[in-house]
Amino acid sequence: MNPPTALNESAAAPFAMHETTPSVFLISRPSVDLDAIRAYLQDVGGLSWLERRLQDDEQNAAQNLVEFCGRACYRSWEPGLNPNVTRIREDQREYLGNLLRSLHGSVLEHANFTFAFRNVSRVFTHELVRHRAGSAFSQESLRYVRLTDLGFRVPSALEPVREQVINLVEQLEEFQITAAEALGLDDEGVPFSVKKEVTSALRRLAPIGLSTDIIWTANLRTLRHVIEMRTAPGAEEELRHVFNDVAEIMRNETPSLFQDFARHDDGSWVPEHRKV
């Protein structure tokens, strides 16, 4: 059995399969306007909270935003602003840990992160878009993007029949290219509307496992839920792989808001406090 590199370089296979691996890029994270926060606190009281946060060794905008929103609910910036609040948790990790234990998940919805998923399959994207609550999606459109180079990842379960899989994908790629030629898709003067119509029709003859890209924005509450669901032992294998990476990223980005998550030996990420 030839390795993927040999297949890609083989002169005998003009339509050699382009083997891919999914990758994850965090492309956007929350930011806060400290001047606006200061102006708000000057009006409502509680500047001491902001001064404590500014003394932290590292500024974490997402965690500051969630804490800000949580404290606004009870006016718990400092004791005395609300007569019912006689003491407060000054340490951010302790405060956010209590927020998680209290299942006060609504304030997590204020902080959004955007990921670019590269070379994931249409199987992956079909399952991801089911998590529509707290999410936004922008996916590569195969009505417009011509399938001239089919990327594909052979799942581990199909390794025993790898050669047959590769042969099939290469035939499908050859069809995409030769059919476009036969239909005159690149002839001079072909209107874009016709190109779109034919490109849309050709995608029906592409495998659902072909590699594609999708951009996903999700708030922290949604991220916690999706990471738990999509790394569970029964989840689809590609999603388990990708969301393990997402979990690692989020533990690094917002450690205090994922402090209750633990990675088990089976690869699943499980929170202590579910349904936050």
Side-chain angles (χ1 to χ4, degrees):
M1 183 181 296
N2 293 326
T5 52
L7 284 166
N8 289 340
E9 295 169 359
S10 173
F15 296 99
M17 189 185 84
H18 172 207
E19 193 155 5
T20 62
T21 301
S23 52
V24 180
F25 304 89
L26 175 61
I27 64 172
S28 178
R29 53 177 60 83
S31 64
V32 294
D33 187 325
L34 293 176
D35 290 335
I37 288 177
R38 181 176 287 104
Y40 172 86
L41 292 175
Q42 284 174 339
D43 190 50
V44 74
L47 277 172
S48 60
W49 171 80
L50 179 59
E51 297 307 316
R52 283 196 303 275
R53 293 288 77 82
L54 292 176
Q55 291 172 9
D56 292 342
D57 293 335
E58 294 184 9
Q59 295 299 308
N60 189 307
Q63 293 182 173
N64 287 345
L65 177 60
V66 171
E67 183 183 1
F68 178 92
C69 296
R71 291 191 183 278
C73 294
Y74 302 101
R75 199 178 292 180
S76 60
W77 309 104
E78 58 188 39
L81 294 176
N82 173 1
N84 289 336
V85 176
T86 57
R87 61 188 181 88
I88 63 168
R89 293 176 174 84
E90 295 189 357
D91 179 78
Q92 185 176 79
R93 182 179 177 86
E94 182 183 347
Y95 176 87
L96 295 176
N98 181 67
L99 183 150
L100 296 173
R101 288 190 299 274
S102 303
L103 307 184
H104 192 180
S106 62
V107 294
L108 275 66
E109 297 176 16
H110 292 283
N112 291 275
F113 291 79
T114 300
F115 294 86
F117 295 124
R118 171 71 173 149
N119 285 325
V120 293
S121 70
R122 302 286 285 192
V123 173
F124 177 96
T125 63
H126 285 3
E127 296 208 15
L128 178 66
V129 297
R130 295 172 185 171
H131 296 288
R132 57 196 178 276
S135 293
F137 308 95
S138 296
Q139 184 170 358
E140 182 179 50
S141 173
L142 299 188
R143 291 188 70 195
Y144 298 91
V145 178
R146 187 91 63 83
L147 295 174
T148 56
D149 182 18
L150 289 186
F152 194 88
R153 179 183 67 91
V154 180
S156 58
L158 297 183
E159 280 296 333
V161 291
R162 163 181 276 273
E163 292 299 333
Q164 293 97 310
V165 171
I166 291 174
N167 182 59
L168 179 58
V169 174
E170 288 173 351
Q171 290 182 55
L172 291 170
E173 180 178 330
E174 180 179 5
F175 169 78
Q176 292 289 327
I177 294 172
T178 57
E181 292 174 352
L183 294 167
L185 205 54
D186 292 319
D187 291 352
E188 186 175 352
V190 176
F192 182 77
S193 59
V194 173
K195 292 184 177 182
K196 182 179 72 172
E197 181 182 7
V198 175
T199 300
S200 179
L202 286 173
R203 65 179 168 167
R204 298 171 186 272
L205 280 301
I208 193 174
L210 69 85
S211 297
T212 188
D213 295 356
I214 189 169
I215 314 301
W216 179 50
T217 298
N219 66 53
L220 278 168
R221 194 179 203 179
T222 295
L223 276 162
R224 285 176 55 94
H225 170 66
V226 178
I227 288 170
E228 180 187 3
M229 282 194 66
R230 297 304 184 175
T231 62
E236 207 278 334
E237 59 90 23
E238 183 182 4
L239 279 93
R240 294 197 78 201
H241 168 75
V242 172
F243 275 96
N244 179 73
D245 291 348
V246 173
E248 295 280 7
I249 289 171
M250 293 313 302
R251 274 286 293 269
N252 183 61
E253 285 286 319
T254 56
S256 293
L257 290 166
F258 282 81
Q259 61 181 278
D260 61 324
F261 268 78
R263 189 180 190 278
H264 292 191
D265 291 340
D266 62 4
S268 59
W269 287 80
V270 181
E272 179 182 354
H273 310 294
R274 303 187 67 245
K275 304 295 184 183
V276 170

